[in-house]
Every structure is written in C-alpha cells, then in structure tokens.
Amino acid sequence: MSEPFASAASRMAGLAARALGWRPAEFWAATPAELALSLGQAEDAVTAPSRADIAAMIEKEKRNG
C-alpha cells in the first residue's frame, strides 16, 4: 500500500459521502467490505487490509507526520 492511511481514508470518506450520502460516523462504522458492496463492487473483489498492512500504514504516518 503506497498511499498514506490518512489520505486514503479521506479520499474514501469523500467518495462515500458523495456517492452514498454517508456521514462520517456511517463511514467509520462500515467495514471495507460493506463500503465496497455499497459502491456496487462484487464481494469477492474486496480485499481488506491485514493487521500488518494497517500497522505499517500507521507507522509510516507517524514517521511522515
């Protein structure tokens, strides 16, 4: 994952707001699979980040933040 977590989350939250009318609380309560399905993607196309991916993104943000 090359995009910083904060940038990706902001981009996806904006997409959810525009396309689905979701407020921030609805976005953060949804799983990546729920977001993908709500946007019309097939369930088998969803690949959620692993714990290691999330930890790496957080560490990268700390170093770059």
Side-chain angles (χ1 to χ4, degrees), residues 1-24 27-28 32 35-36 39 41 47 49 57 61:
M1 304 201 128
S2 60
E3 185 175 12
F5 177 77
S7 297
S10 294
R11 184 174 50 79
M12 295 306 294
L15 175 61
R18 288 187 305 277
L20 305 170
W22 286 7
R23 296 182 181 149
F27 171 77
W28 288 108
L35 176 60
L39 292 170
Q41 295 179 353
T47 303
M57 286 188 282
E61 283 291 312

Side-chain angles (χ1 to χ4, degrees), residues 35-60:
L35 176 60
L37 288 172
S38 296
L39 292 170
Q41 295 179 353
E43 187 172 354
D44 60 347
V46 176
T47 303
S50 68
R51 289 181 183 266
D53 290 337
I54 293 171
M57 286 188 282
I58 291 170
E59 285 304 312
K60 186 175 179 180

